[in-house]
Amino acid sequence: MGYYMGLIGCVVIVSLLKFTAAGTTHVVGGDLGWTIPASGAQFYVNWAAPKTFMHGDTLSFNFNAQMHDIAQVTKVDYDACTYANPIGAIIRTSPANVPLNSTGEHYYVCTFQGHCAAGQKLAINVVSSGTVAPSPTPTVTTGPSAPPTGSTELPCPPDIPTTPSLPPMKFTGPSAPPTMEPASASSLAVSFGVMGLIMILSVIFV
């Protein structure tokens, strides 16, 4: 049983290696294929821009072999639309699968008269399979500072202006009537004595 499991594991590993080595096939121009684009050379620039071409990938060119061909050229020849010194043989059969066996910039043109100048040209950059694009830098938004983690000290509240205290109000009411002190016993005795004397005198003289 262990022998068969090991054999199956080997088959799976070999299949994965073949799949990895095969890479990705990029159909040049998508549905339009390899031809003179109506929008000019910008069409193939836009087609290649969002793609990542890696070592081991393949370019697939679909074209009418009676009207177009493929020549790999240098950047100088690409810019000038010349093909006197192509890199390798000019491909005149379609479809044509061109393996990307080296990293760096690759340039392709059609050698038919006026086709390159009309926009039938392709420039790509081939990268190593181990190349990783840098991650975008996160945006840091600054705000109020937070208190340190684990700190038990709370931030002080802002100073609140205090309202000046008013003096206590005093309420005045009607003054109480003066207290009448009771007359002493001697005063009463004098008063009664005077009154009695007056009465006696009035009787005598009447």
Side-chain angles (χ1 to χ4, degrees), residues 136-187:
T137 304
T139 304
V140 180
T141 304
T142 59
S145 303
T149 305
S151 174
T152 57
E153 186 176 342
L154 297 177
C156 297
D159 294 336
I160 300 175
T162 58
T163 304
S165 58
L166 299 176
M169 299 183 65
K170 297 181 180 180
F171 295 94
T172 59
S175 55
T179 304
M180 301 294 293
E181 295 183 0
S184 61
S186 58
S187 299

mmCIF file of all heavy atoms in Angstrom, residues 136-187:
data_model
loop_
_atom_site.group_PDB
_atom_site.id
_atom_site.type_symbol
_atom_site.label_atom_id
_atom_site.label_comp_id
_atom_site.label_asym_id
_atom_site.label_seq_id
_atom_site.Cartn_x
_atom_site.Cartn_y
_atom_site.Cartn_z
ATOM 1 N N PRO A 136 1.572 48.136 -2.022
ATOM 2 C CA PRO A 136 1.355 49.577 -1.888
ATOM 3 C C PRO A 136 1.528 50.031 -0.457
ATOM 4 O O PRO A 136 1.208 49.318 0.481
ATOM 5 C CB PRO A 136 -0.097 49.768 -2.356
ATOM 6 C CG PRO A 136 -0.711 48.415 -2.214
ATOM 7 C CD PRO A 136 0.391 47.426 -2.429
ATOM 8 N N THR A 137 2.067 51.232 -0.290
ATOM 9 C CA THR A 137 2.287 51.776 1.052
ATOM 10 C C THR A 137 0.963 52.187 1.664
ATOM 11 O O THR A 137 0.213 52.936 1.043
ATOM 12 C CB THR A 137 3.211 52.993 0.993
ATOM 13 O OG1 THR A 137 4.424 52.605 0.345
ATOM 14 C CG2 THR A 137 3.509 53.510 2.392
ATOM 15 N N PRO A 138 0.621 51.667 2.914
ATOM 16 C CA PRO A 138 -0.654 52.059 3.517
ATOM 17 C C PRO A 138 -0.653 53.524 3.899
ATOM 18 O O PRO A 138 0.362 54.080 4.275
ATOM 19 C CB PRO A 138 -0.746 51.160 4.766
ATOM 20 C CG PRO A 138 0.670 50.811 5.090
ATOM 21 C CD PRO A 138 1.403 50.765 3.773
ATOM 22 N N THR A 139 -1.831 54.131 3.786
ATOM 23 C CA THR A 139 -1.984 55.529 4.179
ATOM 24 C C THR A 139 -2.198 55.615 5.670
ATOM 25 O O THR A 139 -3.052 54.936 6.228
ATOM 26 C CB THR A 139 -3.185 56.156 3.457
ATOM 27 O OG1 THR A 139 -2.988 55.993 2.056
ATOM 28 C CG2 THR A 139 -3.336 57.621 3.809
ATOM 29 N N VAL A 140 -1.348 56.432 6.236
ATOM 30 C CA VAL A 140 -1.451 56.593 7.677
ATOM 31 C C VAL A 140 -2.192 57.881 7.957
ATOM 32 O O VAL A 140 -1.807 58.947 7.474
ATOM 33 C CB VAL A 140 -0.060 56.628 8.340
ATOM 34 C CG1 VAL A 140 -0.196 56.806 9.841
ATOM 35 C CG2 VAL A 140 0.701 55.356 8.025
ATOM 36 N N THR A 141 -3.268 57.780 8.645
ATOM 37 C CA THR A 141 -4.053 58.950 9.025
ATOM 38 C C THR A 141 -3.721 59.318 10.445
ATOM 39 O O THR A 141 -3.817 58.485 11.350
ATOM 40 C CB THR A 141 -5.559 58.651 8.908
ATOM 41 O OG1 THR A 141 -5.821 58.222 7.577
ATOM 42 C CG2 THR A 141 -6.381 59.879 9.234
ATOM 43 N N THR A 142 -3.269 60.561 10.612
ATOM 44 C CA THR A 142 -2.919 61.006 11.958
ATOM 45 C C THR A 142 -4.136 61.587 12.637
ATOM 46 O O THR A 142 -4.971 62.239 12.013
ATOM 47 C CB THR A 142 -1.816 62.072 11.913
ATOM 48 O OG1 THR A 142 -2.278 63.167 11.137
ATOM 49 C CG2 THR A 142 -0.547 61.507 11.314
ATOM 50 N N GLY A 143 -4.249 61.354 13.919
ATOM 51 C CA GLY A 143 -5.371 61.862 14.708
ATOM 52 C C GLY A 143 -4.906 62.160 16.110
ATOM 53 O O GLY A 143 -3.706 62.170 16.404
ATOM 54 N N PRO A 144 -5.836 62.392 17.021
ATOM 55 C CA PRO A 144 -5.455 62.653 18.417
ATOM 56 C C PRO A 144 -4.696 61.487 19.002
ATOM 57 O O PRO A 144 -5.002 60.329 18.726
ATOM 58 C CB PRO A 144 -6.797 62.869 19.120
ATOM 59 C CG PRO A 144 -7.770 63.157 18.032
ATOM 60 C CD PRO A 144 -7.272 62.444 16.819
ATOM 61 N N SER A 145 -3.673 61.757 19.794
ATOM 62 C CA SER A 145 -2.876 60.708 20.410
ATOM 63 C C SER A 145 -3.710 59.949 21.413
ATOM 64 O O SER A 145 -4.427 60.525 22.226
ATOM 65 C CB SER A 145 -1.655 61.313 21.111
ATOM 66 O OG SER A 145 -0.890 62.058 20.190
ATOM 67 N N ALA A 146 -3.589 58.616 21.368
ATOM 68 C CA ALA A 146 -4.288 57.777 22.336
ATOM 69 C C ALA A 146 -3.408 57.573 23.543
ATOM 70 O O ALA A 146 -2.176 57.613 23.453
ATOM 71 C CB ALA A 146 -4.627 56.429 21.697
ATOM 72 N N PRO A 147 -3.966 57.363 24.739
ATOM 73 C CA PRO A 147 -3.142 57.116 25.924
ATOM 74 C C PRO A 147 -2.383 55.824 25.769
ATOM 75 O O PRO A 147 -2.838 54.902 25.093
ATOM 76 C CB PRO A 147 -4.187 57.033 27.059
ATOM 77 C CG PRO A 147 -5.468 56.728 26.377
ATOM 78 C CD PRO A 147 -5.393 57.348 25.027
ATOM 79 N N PRO A 148 -1.180 55.703 26.338
ATOM 80 C CA PRO A 148 -0.380 54.481 26.203
ATOM 81 C C PRO A 148 -1.151 53.270 26.695
ATOM 82 O O PRO A 148 -1.932 53.342 27.639
ATOM 83 C CB PRO A 148 0.860 54.757 27.082
ATOM 84 C CG PRO A 148 0.880 56.247 27.269
ATOM 85 C CD PRO A 148 -0.539 56.694 27.185
ATOM 86 N N THR A 149 -0.885 52.127 25.998
ATOM 87 C CA THR A 149 -1.550 50.884 26.375
ATOM 88 C C THR A 149 -1.149 50.481 27.781
ATOM 89 O O THR A 149 0.023 50.472 28.132
ATOM 90 C CB THR A 149 -1.168 49.764 25.391
ATOM 91 O OG1 THR A 149 -1.475 50.213 24.062
ATOM 92 C CG2 THR A 149 -1.931 48.500 25.702
ATOM 93 N N GLY A 150 -2.124 50.061 28.577
ATOM 94 C CA GLY A 150 -1.868 49.609 29.938
ATOM 95 C C GLY A 150 -1.766 50.735 30.938
ATOM 96 O O GLY A 150 -1.567 50.496 32.114
ATOM 97 N N SER A 151 -1.849 51.957 30.487
ATOM 98 C CA SER A 151 -1.739 53.077 31.422
ATOM 99 C C SER A 151 -3.057 53.284 32.142
ATOM 100 O O SER A 151 -4.122 53.249 31.543
ATOM 101 C CB SER A 151 -1.351 54.345 30.657
ATOM 102 O OG SER A 151 -1.380 55.458 31.513
ATOM 103 N N THR A 152 -2.985 53.465 33.418
ATOM 104 C CA THR A 152 -4.186 53.696 34.221
ATOM 105 C C THR A 152 -4.472 55.176 34.368
ATOM 106 O O THR A 152 -5.457 55.560 34.973
ATOM 107 C CB THR A 152 -4.025 53.071 35.631
ATOM 108 O OG1 THR A 152 -2.862 53.620 36.247
ATOM 109 C CG2 THR A 152 -3.874 51.569 35.533
ATOM 110 N N GLU A 153 -3.569 55.992 33.844
ATOM 111 C CA GLU A 153 -3.718 57.431 33.988
ATOM 112 C C GLU A 153 -4.603 57.941 32.874
ATOM 113 O O GLU A 153 -4.331 57.716 31.697
ATOM 114 C CB GLU A 153 -2.348 58.092 33.927
ATOM 115 C CG GLU A 153 -2.403 59.595 34.211
ATOM 116 C CD GLU A 153 -1.015 60.180 34.247
ATOM 117 O OE1 GLU A 153 -0.068 59.401 34.386
ATOM 118 O OE2 GLU A 153 -0.884 61.402 34.142
ATOM 119 N N LEU A 154 -5.694 58.607 33.223
ATOM 120 C CA LEU A 154 -6.624 59.124 32.241
ATOM 121 C C LEU A 154 -6.242 60.551 31.878
ATOM 122 O O LEU A 154 -5.681 61.281 32.692
ATOM 123 C CB LEU A 154 -8.062 59.111 32.800
ATOM 124 C CG LEU A 154 -8.609 57.725 33.135
ATOM 125 C CD1 LEU A 154 -9.995 57.849 33.740
ATOM 126 C CD2 LEU A 154 -8.665 56.855 31.890
ATOM 127 N N PRO A 155 -6.526 60.950 30.664
ATOM 128 C CA PRO A 155 -6.189 62.332 30.295
ATOM 129 C C PRO A 155 -7.003 63.334 31.089
ATOM 130 O O PRO A 155 -8.174 63.096 31.411
ATOM 131 C CB PRO A 155 -6.559 62.381 28.796
ATOM 132 C CG PRO A 155 -7.526 61.266 28.613
ATOM 133 C CD PRO A 155 -7.141 60.200 29.596
ATOM 134 N N CYS A 156 -6.383 64.459 31.444
ATOM 135 C CA CYS A 156 -7.054 65.481 32.242
ATOM 136 C C CYS A 156 -8.112 66.166 31.400
ATOM 137 O O CYS A 156 -7.877 66.467 30.231
ATOM 138 C CB CYS A 156 -6.049 66.516 32.741
ATOM 139 S SG CYS A 156 -4.813 65.811 33.846
ATOM 140 N N PRO A 157 -9.296 66.428 31.989
ATOM 141 C CA PRO A 157 -10.320 67.133 31.227
ATOM 142 C C PRO A 157 -9.918 68.585 31.052
ATOM 143 O O PRO A 157 -9.135 69.129 31.811
ATOM 144 C CB PRO A 157 -11.566 67.002 32.125
ATOM 145 C CG PRO A 157 -11.014 66.840 33.494
ATOM 146 C CD PRO A 157 -9.723 66.089 33.342
ATOM 147 N N PRO A 158 -10.416 69.206 30.008
ATOM 148 C CA PRO A 158 -10.052 70.627 29.808
ATOM 149 C C PRO A 158 -10.593 71.495 30.924
ATOM 150 O O PRO A 158 -11.596 71.186 31.558
ATOM 151 C CB PRO A 158 -10.738 70.958 28.469
ATOM 152 C CG PRO A 158 -11.842 69.956 28.364
ATOM 153 C CD PRO A 158 -11.340 68.708 29.036
ATOM 154 N N ASP A 159 -9.864 72.603 31.189
ATOM 155 C CA ASP A 159 -10.287 73.527 32.243
ATOM 156 C C ASP A 159 -11.623 74.156 31.884
ATOM 157 O O ASP A 159 -11.826 74.633 30.761
ATOM 158 C CB ASP A 159 -9.239 74.635 32.429
ATOM 159 C CG ASP A 159 -7.932 74.063 32.975
ATOM 160 O OD1 ASP A 159 -7.997 73.002 33.597
ATOM 161 O OD2 ASP A 159 -6.881 74.688 32.740
ATOM 162 N N ILE A 160 -12.547 74.126 32.848
ATOM 163 C CA ILE A 160 -13.876 74.695 32.645
ATOM 164 C C ILE A 160 -13.937 75.983 33.452
ATOM 165 O O ILE A 160 -13.701 75.988 34.658
ATOM 166 C CB ILE A 160 -14.971 73.722 33.104
ATOM 167 C CG1 ILE A 160 -14.857 72.416 32.307
ATOM 168 C CG2 ILE A 160 -16.361 74.336 32.966
ATOM 169 C CD1 ILE A 160 -15.807 71.349 32.767
ATOM 170 N N PRO A 161 -14.217 77.109 32.788
ATOM 171 C CA PRO A 161 -14.259 78.375 33.547
ATOM 172 C C PRO A 161 -15.355 78.347 34.594
ATOM 173 O O PRO A 161 -16.465 77.876 34.351
ATOM 174 C CB PRO A 161 -14.548 79.421 32.459
ATOM 175 C CG PRO A 161 -15.138 78.650 31.326
ATOM 176 C CD PRO A 161 -14.529 77.278 31.377
ATOM 177 N N THR A 162 -14.999 78.786 35.793
ATOM 178 C CA THR A 162 -15.962 78.777 36.904
ATOM 179 C C THR A 162 -16.734 80.073 36.957
ATOM 180 O O THR A 162 -16.206 81.149 36.678
ATOM 181 C CB THR A 162 -15.221 78.571 38.243
ATOM 182 O OG1 THR A 162 -14.270 79.620 38.379
ATOM 183 C CG2 THR A 162 -14.503 77.235 38.287
ATOM 184 N N THR A 163 -18.015 79.981 37.302
ATOM 185 C CA THR A 163 -18.878 81.162 37.416
ATOM 186 C C THR A 163 -18.661 81.791 38.788
ATOM 187 O O THR A 163 -18.716 81.109 39.806
ATOM 188 C CB THR A 163 -20.348 80.750 37.268
ATOM 189 O OG1 THR A 163 -20.484 80.064 36.037
ATOM 190 C CG2 THR A 163 -21.265 81.967 37.308
ATOM 191 N N PRO A 164 -18.349 83.099 38.828
ATOM 192 C CA PRO A 164 -18.100 83.714 40.152
ATOM 193 C C PRO A 164 -19.331 83.594 41.034
ATOM 194 O O PRO A 164 -20.469 83.782 40.603
ATOM 195 C CB PRO A 164 -17.798 85.179 39.796
ATOM 196 C CG PRO A 164 -18.360 85.374 38.420
ATOM 197 C CD PRO A 164 -18.253 84.060 37.733
ATOM 198 N N SER A 165 -19.066 83.222 42.299
ATOM 199 C CA SER A 165 -20.170 83.016 43.244
ATOM 200 C C SER A 165 -20.760 84.369 43.664
ATOM 201 O O SER A 165 -20.046 85.342 43.852
ATOM 202 C CB SER A 165 -19.675 82.260 44.478
ATOM 203 O OG SER A 165 -18.628 82.984 45.082
ATOM 204 N N LEU A 166 -22.058 84.407 43.770
ATOM 205 C CA LEU A 166 -22.754 85.629 44.178
ATOM 206 C C LEU A 166 -22.886 85.669 45.690
ATOM 207 O O LEU A 166 -23.044 84.630 46.337
ATOM 208 C CB LEU A 166 -24.141 85.675 43.531
ATOM 209 C CG LEU A 166 -24.153 85.699 41.986
ATOM 210 C CD1 LEU A 166 -25.580 85.633 41.487
ATOM 211 C CD2 LEU A 166 -23.468 86.960 41.484
ATOM 212 N N PRO A 167 -22.812 86.837 46.253
ATOM 213 C CA PRO A 167 -22.986 86.911 47.730
ATOM 214 C C PRO A 167 -24.392 86.494 48.105
ATOM 215 O O PRO A 167 -25.349 86.707 47.358
ATOM 216 C CB PRO A 167 -22.742 88.395 48.044
ATOM 217 C CG PRO A 167 -23.018 89.104 46.752
ATOM 218 C CD PRO A 167 -22.606 88.163 45.660
ATOM 219 N N PRO A 168 -24.558 85.856 49.249
ATOM 220 C CA PRO A 168 -25.896 85.395 49.669
ATOM 221 C C PRO A 168 -26.821 86.594 49.855
ATOM 222 O O PRO A 168 -26.456 87.633 50.363
ATOM 223 C CB PRO A 168 -25.622 84.672 50.998
ATOM 224 C CG PRO A 168 -24.325 85.244 51.478
ATOM 225 C CD PRO A 168 -23.521 85.554 50.261
ATOM 226 N N MET A 169 -28.024 86.408 49.372
ATOM 227 C CA MET A 169 -29.008 87.485 49.452
ATOM 228 C C MET A 169 -29.669 87.490 50.828
ATOM 229 O O MET A 169 -30.012 86.435 51.362
ATOM 230 C CB MET A 169 -30.067 87.317 48.362
ATOM 231 C CG MET A 169 -29.467 87.370 46.948
ATOM 232 S SD MET A 169 -30.729 87.252 45.680
ATOM 233 C CE MET A 169 -31.616 88.784 45.997
ATOM 234 N N LYS A 170 -29.812 88.699 51.356
ATOM 235 C CA LYS A 170 -30.444 88.846 52.669
ATOM 236 C C LYS A 170 -31.836 89.432 52.471
ATOM 237 O O LYS A 170 -32.010 90.449 51.797
ATOM 238 C CB LYS A 170 -29.621 89.777 53.567
ATOM 239 C CG LYS A 170 -28.226 89.237 53.876
ATOM 240 C CD LYS A 170 -27.468 90.184 54.783
ATOM 241 C CE LYS A 170 -26.080 89.651 55.101
ATOM 242 N NZ LYS A 170 -25.322 90.561 55.984
ATOM 243 N N PHE A 171 -32.813 88.754 53.006
ATOM 244 C CA PHE A 171 -34.199 89.204 52.900
ATOM 245 C C PHE A 171 -34.589 89.937 54.189
ATOM 246 O O PHE A 171 -34.426 89.410 55.286
ATOM 247 C CB PHE A 171 -35.143 88.016 52.683
ATOM 248 C CG PHE A 171 -34.885 87.334 51.379
ATOM 249 C CD1 PHE A 171 -34.039 86.235 51.322
ATOM 250 C CD2 PHE A 171 -35.469 87.803 50.206
ATOM 251 C CE1 PHE A 171 -33.798 85.609 50.125
ATOM 252 C CE2 PHE A 171 -35.231 87.158 49.015
ATOM 253 C CZ PHE A 171 -34.397 86.065 48.972
ATOM 254 N N THR A 172 -35.075 91.149 54.023
ATOM 255 C CA THR A 172 -35.515 91.945 55.178
ATOM 256 C C THR A 172 -37.026 92.040 55.178
ATOM 257 O O THR A 172 -37.641 92.251 54.123
ATOM 258 C CB THR A 172 -34.907 93.352 55.121
ATOM 259 O OG1 THR A 172 -35.313 93.972 53.907
ATOM 260 C CG2 THR A 172 -33.373 93.284 55.171
ATOM 261 N N GLY A 173 -37.612 91.835 56.280
ATOM 262 C CA GLY A 173 -39.068 91.921 56.416
ATOM 263 C C GLY A 173 -39.451 93.076 57.346
ATOM 264 O O GLY A 173 -38.599 93.832 57.803
ATOM 265 N N PRO A 174 -40.715 93.239 57.568
ATOM 266 C CA PRO A 174 -41.143 94.314 58.499
ATOM 267 C C PRO A 174 -40.580 94.085 59.892
ATOM 268 O O PRO A 174 -40.539 92.964 60.382
ATOM 269 C CB PRO A 174 -42.666 94.213 58.476
ATOM 270 C CG PRO A 174 -42.945 92.842 57.975
ATOM 271 C CD PRO A 174 -41.831 92.477 57.045
ATOM 272 N N SER A 175 -40.085 95.158 60.436
ATOM 273 C CA SER A 175 -39.468 95.026 61.765
ATOM 274 C C SER A 175 -40.533 94.694 62.812
ATOM 275 O O SER A 175 -41.671 95.157 62.744
ATOM 276 C CB SER A 175 -38.760 96.333 62.153
ATOM 277 O OG SER A 175 -39.666 97.419 62.067
ATOM 278 N N ALA A 176 -40.130 93.867 63.735
ATOM 279 C CA ALA A 176 -41.083 93.454 64.819
ATOM 280 C C ALA A 176 -41.339 94.621 65.780
ATOM 281 O O ALA A 176 -40.465 95.471 65.983
ATOM 282 C CB ALA A 176 -40.475 92.276 65.594
ATOM 283 N N PRO A 177 -42.531 94.713 66.336
ATOM 284 C CA PRO A 177 -42.853 95.799 67.291
ATOM 285 C C PRO A 177 -41.981 95.700 68.517
ATOM 286 O O PRO A 177 -41.566 94.616 68.898
ATOM 287 C CB PRO A 177 -44.329 95.545 67.622
ATOM 288 C CG PRO A 177 -44.554 94.115 67.294
ATOM 289 C CD PRO A 177 -43.655 93.780 66.157
ATOM 290 N N PRO A 178 -41.622 96.843 69.021
ATOM 291 C CA PRO A 178 -40.737 96.816 70.206
ATOM 292 C C PRO A 178 -41.383 96.063 71.351
ATOM 293 O O PRO A 178 -42.583 96.118 71.551
ATOM 294 C CB PRO A 178 -40.554 98.299 70.546
ATOM 295 C CG PRO A 178 -41.707 99.003 69.897
ATOM 296 C CD PRO A 178 -42.059 98.229 68.693
ATOM 297 N N THR A 179 -40.569 95.350 71.988
ATOM 298 C CA THR A 179 -41.054 94.546 73.129
ATOM 299 C C THR A 179 -41.268 95.453 74.350
ATOM 300 O O THR A 179 -40.386 96.245 74.693
ATOM 301 C CB THR A 179 -40.029 93.451 73.480
ATOM 302 O OG1 THR A 179 -39.805 92.685 72.296
ATOM 303 C CG2 THR A 179 -40.546 92.567 74.575
ATOM 304 N N MET A 180 -42.461 95.362 74.916
ATOM 305 C CA MET A 180 -42.798 96.165 76.110
ATOM 306 C C MET A 180 -42.339 95.426 77.350
ATOM 307 O O MET A 180 -42.779 94.296 77.604
ATOM 308 C CB MET A 180 -44.316 96.405 76.199
ATOM 309 C CG MET A 180 -44.893 97.129 74.972
ATOM 310 S SD MET A 180 -44.277 98.821 74.813
ATOM 311 C CE MET A 180 -45.056 99.568 76.283
ATOM 312 N N GLU A 181 -41.463 96.045 78.039
ATOM 313 C CA GLU A 181 -40.984 95.414 79.250
ATOM 314 C C GLU A 181 -42.024 95.611 80.367
ATOM 315 O O GLU A 181 -42.602 96.691 80.513
ATOM 316 C CB GLU A 181 -39.665 96.039 79.686
ATOM 317 C CG GLU A 181 -38.542 95.798 78.680
ATOM 318 C CD GLU A 181 -37.252 96.388 79.204
ATOM 319 O OE1 GLU A 181 -37.276 96.948 80.312
ATOM 320 O OE2 GLU A 181 -36.233 96.276 78.488
ATOM 321 N N PRO A 182 -42.323 94.615 81.134
ATOM 322 C CA PRO A 182 -43.319 94.750 82.218
ATOM 323 C C PRO A 182 -42.840 95.739 83.294
ATOM 324 O O PRO A 182 -41.645 95.803 83.583
ATOM 325 C CB PRO A 182 -43.433 93.327 82.761
ATOM 326 C CG PRO A 182 -42.158 92.647 82.352
ATOM 327 C CD PRO A 182 -41.725 93.267 81.064
ATOM 328 N N ALA A 183 -43.751 96.519 83.756
ATOM 329 C CA ALA A 183 -43.402 97.508 84.804
ATOM 330 C C ALA A 183 -43.040 96.818 86.111
ATOM 331 O O ALA A 183 -43.595 95.779 86.450
ATOM 332 C CB ALA A 183 -44.581 98.462 85.038
ATOM 333 N N SER A 184 -42.109 97.384 86.745
ATOM 334 C CA SER A 184 -41.684 96.802 88.025
ATOM 335 C C SER A 184 -42.747 97.047 89.120
ATOM 336 O O SER A 184 -43.632 97.892 88.962
ATOM 337 C CB SER A 184 -40.350 97.434 88.442
ATOM 338 O OG SER A 184 -40.512 98.833 88.606
ATOM 339 N N ALA A 185 -42.675 96.333 90.198
ATOM 340 C CA ALA A 185 -43.665 96.439 91.315
ATOM 341 C C ALA A 185 -43.618 97.804 91.985
ATOM 342 O O ALA A 185 -44.652 98.368 92.356
ATOM 343 C CB ALA A 185 -43.389 95.343 92.368
ATOM 344 N N SER A 186 -42.433 98.412 92.066
ATOM 345 C CA SER A 186 -42.327 99.726 92.727
ATOM 346 C C SER A 186 -42.994 100.804 91.905
ATOM 347 O O SER A 186 -43.633 101.729 92.430
ATOM 348 C CB SER A 186 -40.849 100.065 92.963
ATOM 349 O OG SER A 186 -40.153 100.056 91.712
ATOM 350 N N SER A 187 -42.874 100.679 90.565
ATOM 351 C CA SER A 187 -43.520 101.673 89.697
ATOM 352 C C SER A 187 -45.030 101.598 89.825
ATOM 353 O O SER A 187 -45.723 102.618 89.829
ATOM 354 C CB SER A 187 -43.097 101.420 88.231
ATOM 355 O OG SER A 187 -41.689 101.550 88.091
#
